[in-house]
Amino acid sequence: GDSVTQMEGPVTLSEEAFLTINCTYTATGYPSLFWYVQYPGEGLQLLLKATKADDKGSNKGFEATYRKETTSFHLEKGSVQVSDSAVYFCALMKGDNFNKFYFGSGTKLNVKP
Amino acid sequence: NAGVTQTPKFQVLKTGQSMTLQCAQDMNHEYMSWYRQDPGMGLRLIHYSVGAGITDQGEVPNGYNVSRSTTEDFPLRLLSAAPSQTSVYFCASSRDGPYEQYFGPGTRLTVT
């Protein structure tokens, strides 16, 4: 069935380091892909999305490119800040249906000053 | 705007007890949903609603009931709590289906 696999955390980086959080998916057809972020004590919020192959989603310095050939949607940021410490969730959606929306298990990022 | 609010933040229940997790949103969103999050797993959909008076089941509906009498509120009822329902519960709302969901801060439930 359809699913999303994320790299296990936690990921610990120093401030200004380069970030990559890997996400791969299994799905037939052309799903839409998302990254959600959960800051400490808060609910999840949408960070970025891409709806077709080769699309790049970007927001707050984060980027992810929809790669159909490798079924991946890796999250990247060139220079992380302490304020980026959070849990990051990759997700996919097939069609306009809540039952076709799948979250990954989340990757915790810790950024040290 | 408060966004999506959930109460309580923490709850401990004994096996067999019942309770209601409250969820409210002030964004006039038509769509609302409930998820649970367990260690090492992604969020799993329990129930969702596409508008007042309309609800449907998600991936893991057993042991939970919902109703949607108003646009703003979407309570989740545990009828007879079991240890397997120990989890963190998230409520979400959205304007256009599952595309961009706004989540509440979660309720951490422990069933002993």
Side-chain angles (χ1 to χ4, degrees):
Chain A
D2 301 327
S3 65
V4 173
T5 302
Q6 290 183 234
M7 63 188 290
E8 293 211 10
V11 174
T12 301
L13 295 173
S14 297
E15 208 165 21
E16 299 185 2
F18 185 86
L19 168 71
T20 300
I21 299 179
N22 290 339
C23 172
T24 57
Y25 68 89
T26 300
T28 57
Y30 299 89
S32 296
L33 300 172
F34 305 81
W35 277 101
Y36 275 79
V37 58
Q38 183 182 24
Y39 298 105
E42 300 182 12
L44 283 74
Q45 55 185 276
L46 180 64
L47 180 60
L48 53 84
K49 66 183 177 185
T51 58
K52 60 182 188 294
D54 300 325
D55 265 3
K56 178 185 285 188
S58 61
N59 186 21
K60 299 182 180 180
F62 290 89
E63 292 182 340
T65 300
Y66 187 163
R67 303 273 188 211
K68 188 152 180 70
E69 62 275 15
T70 54
T71 62
S72 65
F73 192 55
H74 303 323
L75 183 68
E76 296 182 336
K77 187 175 186 184
S79 176
V80 293
Q81 306 300 312
V82 172
S83 57
D84 294 325
S85 296
V87 181
Y88 293 82
F89 294 89
C90 186
L92 76 79
M93 182 180 74
K94 284 185 64 178
D96 189 14
N97 186 331
F98 279 89
N99 273 309
K100 297 293 186 182
F101 197 97
Y102 306 96
F103 282 94
S105 57
T107 301
K108 186 171 184 179
L109 171 65
N110 296 317
V111 181
K112 296 185 173 182
Chain B
N1 284 355
V4 179
T5 57
Q6 292 183 237
T7 55
K9 284 187 172 14
F10 301 94
Q11 183 69 49
V12 178
L13 289 179
K14 294 189 188 309
T15 298
Q17 288 184 317
S18 63
M19 80 159 295
T20 299
L21 307 186
Q22 301 291 344
C23 174
Q25 53 95 7
D26 62 359
M27 296 174 282
N28 202 31
H29 286 167
E30 286 297 316
Y31 301 87
M32 296 187 75
S33 53
W34 276 102
Y35 293 86
R36 60 178 286 173
Q37 182 184 26
D38 301 298
M41 303 182 71
L43 278 70
R44 292 184 293 169
L45 182 68
I46 304 171
H47 286 285
Y48 67 99
S49 168
V50 300
I54 307 170
T55 64
D56 207 345
Q57 295 182 350
E59 181 186 357
V60 289
N62 291 342
Y64 307 96
N65 273 359
V66 292
S67 60
R68 183 102 179 268
S69 55
T70 67
T71 299
E72 294 78 20
D73 300 299
F74 191 42
L76 178 73
R77 297 182 187 85
L78 280 70
L79 307 173
S80 178
S84 61
Q85 294 180 302
T86 293
S87 189
V88 180
Y89 291 85
F90 291 100
C91 178
S93 74
S94 58
R95 183 178 296 109
D96 298 314
Y99 285 99
E100 182 170 358
Q101 299 184 63
Y102 293 76
F103 284 79
T107 294
R108 185 174 293 274
L109 175 68
T110 301
V111 183
T112 61

